[in-house]
Structure formats: C-alpha cells, structure tokens
Amino acid sequence: MTRQDAVAPVSSGVTFSGLDHVELARRTRRWGWLHYSRYRQAAEKPFFWTAFVTAIGNPVLYLVAMGMGLGSLVQGDVDGVSYLWFVAPGLLVATVVSTGAQFGTWPIFGGFKWMKNYLAAQATPVEPWQMAVGEGLAISVRMFVQAFLFWLIGLAFGAWPGAASLLVVPIAMLASMAMFTPLMAYSATLEEEGLQFNFVQRLIVMPMFLFAGTFFPLASMPAYLQWIGWVSPMWHGTQLARIVSYGMENPPWLTVVHVVFLVGCIVGGLLVAARTFTRRLVR
Amino acid sequence: MSVIEARGLTKKFGDFTAVDAISFEVAPGESFGLLGPNGAGKSTTMRMIGGTSLRTDGTLTVLGLDPETHGPEVRASLGVVPQQDSLDEELRARDNLIVYGRYFGLPMDYLKPKADELLEFAQLTEKANAKVSALSGGMKRRLTIARGLVNEPRILLLDEPTTGLDPQARHILWDRLFRLKEQGVTLVLTTHFMDEAEQLCDRLVVIDHGRIVAEGAPQALIRQYSTREVVEVRFGSARNAEMEGVLREMTDRIEVLPDRILLYDDAGEALLDEINRRGLNPLTSLVRRSSLEDVFLRLTGRSLID
C-alpha cells in the first residue's frame, strides 16, 4: 500500500506511449476554440429534448397567437403584405435573439461560478480567448438549428412568401450572436450573482421585443422611442429578415448599416469577451 | 536538469503577498511536496507553474519554458488535479475523460481506449456510464486524477489530492500515485496532511505565510527539527497551564497547545514513566514518533491545521 511496503515496482495500468506534447500544444494553439465548442455541444446533450420541445413549441405558440389571433384583428395589409407575412420574420428573429440573450447570461456566469467548466479547460492547453470563441461557435450552431426549426414550422402556417425566406435562418443566427457575444463578455466579469440578469431580461430583452419593430414597423412609433430599435440587434436582424422574406423595401445604405451593426456587435463582443475571459481566469 | 525551477518567485494580490520570493527545484521523477497551512501560498504557486496565475516577480521555468509566455506548451505536458473538482456533473464519467482529452487535441481513436484504461486505473470501470453527480467524493477525486493523466503528463500537479476523503479512499489514492511515480511521472503536490507528505514526498518544502521555512526529505526534517519521540499528555483544559512548569523541567522542549501538552524527548516511554511516577496523573497520555506536524510546530509556533 505505502512506499515502505512496496517491494517491486507495480504498474499503475496507465500506459505512457510517448505522446508528442509539442505537437499537442501546436494543435491546441490552432484549434483550441474548436475543441472547446465541441465540449459545449457535448455538455448541452443532456438537455436536448427540453431544448427541442421549446424550439418547436415557441414558434407554434407565437404564430398562433400573433399571426392568427392578433393578425385577424389587423385590418388590411401592413407594409404592403398580410400581417402574418409581416410578423413572422420578426417573431423568428426575436425568438432566436432572446434565446441568445439567455445563453449569454446564466450559463456563462455559472460556468465560472458553479460548473467550473472554464477552470477545467484552463488546466489544459486551451486558452481563455479560445473558450470565448468556442462558446460563440457552439451557440451559433445551436441558434442556426433553432431558427431553422422555426422556419419549418412557419412553412406549415404559410408564413413565408417564397424560398428566399430561408435566408432568415442565417440572419437570425447573426442577430442572435450580436446579442450573445456582448452579454457573454459582460457575464464573465460578474463575481457574485445579483439582479443584473433580471435587468438584462426585463430592461433590455423585453423592451427590445416590444419596441424593436417585431409586431409593428418602427416608424409607427413616436420618434423618441425609435432609438430602441436602432441600438438593438433584434431590429436590425428583423429588418434584414423582412427584406429576404417578403422583399421589404429598404434603402441599400440602410441594409448595409444593418449588416455592419450586427457584425460589429459580434466582433466587438468577441474581442471584449476574449479579454474578460482572460482577466477572469488568469490572475 | 530540473523539470521545475523557481527563483525568487513572488505573487502579490494588491498589498497582500501570497508567495514571497520562494526558490526551489524539482528533479525529473521526483515526488515533491509543498506543505503548509491553508492560505500559505501553495495553490497560488501551483497555478503559477501551470501559467494560469501571473507572477509579480522572480523567474520560473517548467520543462525549460516560461509558463507565462508558453502556457499551452507547458500545460500540454502537465496533468493538473485542482483542489476543487472541476468535473462536468451532467456528463458521464467516461465522457468527462474524453471531452477533457479533446482539449489537448487528442484524437478519438486514442481517447476511447485511453478512457477505458484510466477508468480501470481509477477503479471506476463499473461507473463508466454513470453521471458524475451520482459518484461519491472519493470516486470524483479518483476520476479527477484519472482525467489529469489523459495526456500522459510528464509532471502531475496535485493540489490537496485527498482533502475531504475518508482514510480508506486516501490509501487507495496514495497507492495509485505511488505507482505513477514508479513509472517516472514527476509528482508535485500540496497538502496540509503530514502523513500524506511523509507517505508520498521524496522531498518537500514547508511553506508559511508565502515563505519557505524549511526544505528537505521528510525524515531528515524530522531529525533536524524534532526529537525521535513525542509524549502527548492531557490534563484537561483547566490544569494544562498549571502543569506546564513541572513538565518543562523534565525535558528540553515542550509545547502547550489548547487541548494537550507535547513533550519532545528521544526516550518517550521513559519520560512517561517518570510523569506517572511523580503522580501527575494525566487524563490521557500517548507516546508517538515525531511527525512533520511537530516540525511545523517547531518552525512556526503554530499547528498545521487550525
């Protein structure tokens, strides 16, 4: 049992085959972000069915309530199309962006605080910035699938005028990531749980949902409230989604602004997250 | 050549100096211990070795590299067993090993048989498909150690490897670690258990308040800083203080602790006989060999575990 008792070397049963550690480090320096995103996907597996049922249930509920229920009250067209056609791209983007916001708060905070998954990865060659990028990659795949399921359900409701509407899927993913990455960067800085995430949910995500052009065009709101749309990934994403879905008219420069805004949020969010992850983990 | 070399290694958090200019070397295949109470700076030192804590001053090389600038290269050769288990509770035991191995860029055809081998090593083969949340504390600890071996590390860093385990679980772990050492893995461990340090370490440094207060092999430290035997007597908290004067005359060195008095003497039994002959009537008495606990008490004036 103990050192004194041991007479001859006993094997631990663990083989040492002479792995090339230099090569392992080289591989991780290059692909660590991908390795981390694989972990995140594996870690989400136990929650697959809950996520799947939500991803199917949400669109059904929204399309029935808003598209059919509220839509039946809307007299005439909105923006030249039926209310269902108008609201469906907005609902899809809003739903996926809301999910992205959720992923950017508790799961990231909990990863540092309770789950220790970042601490585990930190003991390996994976670097903190790679964890942030890996989270982003895993969540974007997840958002893509969720958007696609929404699109499929919408098909059954007749919510899409044509095949080009399929482009709402990558657009929603983009908008969702524009919400996720800055929140991830912020969540990594929190040491203690407080009311911050309630504020995020109630004072950022909820107002966005109501005032970012999801249910009615931004232009029909008073000018002093329209800024909410301008600063929200949800509105920019929704506008792009409407352009590809029913051909909403939009000045080309404004379309460029939508894309630049979303990409800017994602890139900026990732850059800041790389910093906040590093600061949190390397002390 | 040393696998780890620290010179004047210092870490400050604001005004607080966690590690205060310590220097040490670890030879390949050696089992090296950092012994000290909680808050002595052991874990911080371990984190600096892995490059996940940045030093304030001094130099540090691990396998010839600076872990701050070559973190991934250093960690590719390290196995890390953190003080707090960082397993994924929702994943199965076997999947924990595999996802962790992926972090090193190890391919699945390597990882699948490796995971089975490591589960066998950790005596967890039957728990391979159990969620980690269903494992006992000892099983989680063994799984954490198994996980640290997935990349065939040259150095295994163990931060308080057996804290919180029952005696049997600790002995199983010590046995496993000893076997790894026999296979040439360098072990670096922190502990505040004297028996663990005596069992596992070829050589150790005693750390207190971020400084090294002694260094050497466990037995050599005991020889140097303590007597061969120790007599422990208890008179009850009220009488301990009043007995101090009498006992102090009977041997060279005594320590009065809140609950007992320690008498340091090379001939413990004879001293205890003398105590009884004089009719001092301790409530309980015990003669034992000196341990690292006594070394620590001598060096710092305090018990190792508060």
Side-chain angles (χ1 to χ4, degrees), chain B residues 110-226:
Chain B
Y110 167 88
L111 283 171
K112 282 182 175 170
K114 189 71 183 178
D116 293 333
E117 177 188 294
L118 290 172
L119 287 166
E120 182 77 40
F121 163 79
Q123 295 175 311
L124 289 170
T125 304
E126 277 136 52
K127 298 284 181 184
N129 291 318
K131 269 193 182 185
V132 167
S133 53
L135 302 183
S136 73
M139 290 176 181
K140 285 182 192 176
R141 210 67 193 130
R142 295 207 297 274
L143 185 61
T144 302
I145 294 176
R147 190 182 66 169
L149 293 168
V150 76
N151 60 320
E152 300 183 358
R154 292 177 60 190
I155 305 172
L156 189 59
L157 301 180
L158 301 134
D159 199 355
E160 306 272 354
T162 66
T163 298
L165 298 188
D166 62 57
Q168 198 197 347
R170 297 176 71 203
H171 278 282
I172 294 175
L173 267 184
W174 288 346
D175 170 61
R176 288 297 183 267
L177 294 175
F178 182 69
R179 291 179 190 204
L180 285 172
K181 180 178 141 44
E182 297 272 287
Q183 285 181 282
V185 180
T186 304
L187 302 181
V188 178
L189 65 131
T190 74
T191 183
H192 60 250
F193 293 121
M194 295 62 59
D195 52 350
E196 181 158 280
E198 288 186 55
Q199 289 285 345
L200 287 177
C201 300
D202 299 325
R203 200 164 58 82
L204 55 89
V205 289
V206 180
I207 301 187
D208 189 38
H209 296 309
R211 290 171 176 274
I212 293 177
V213 291
E215 177 174 0
Q219 289 311 317
L221 284 171
I222 291 168
R223 270 198 305 278
Q224 187 178 352
Y225 293 102
S226 191

Side-chain angles (χ1 to χ4, degrees), chain B residues 7-35:
Chain B
R7 289 276 163 269
L9 189 61
T10 302
K11 176 68 183 183
K12 292 181 182 174
F13 295 102
D15 290 339
F16 174 66
T17 305
V19 177
D20 195 357
I22 65 172
S23 302
F24 62 87
E25 284 183 28
V26 181
E30 189 178 25
S31 176
F32 180 79
L34 300 156
L35 177 71

Side-chain angles (χ1 to χ4, degrees), chain A residues 12 17 27 38-39 283, chain B residues 53 88 102 105 152 183 198:
Chain A
S12 64
S17 62
R27 254 185 240 168
R38 292 243 174 89
Y39 158 74
R283 297 187 173 195
Chain B
S53 182
D88 191 310
R102 300 291 294 176
E152 300 183 358
Q183 285 181 282
E198 288 186 55

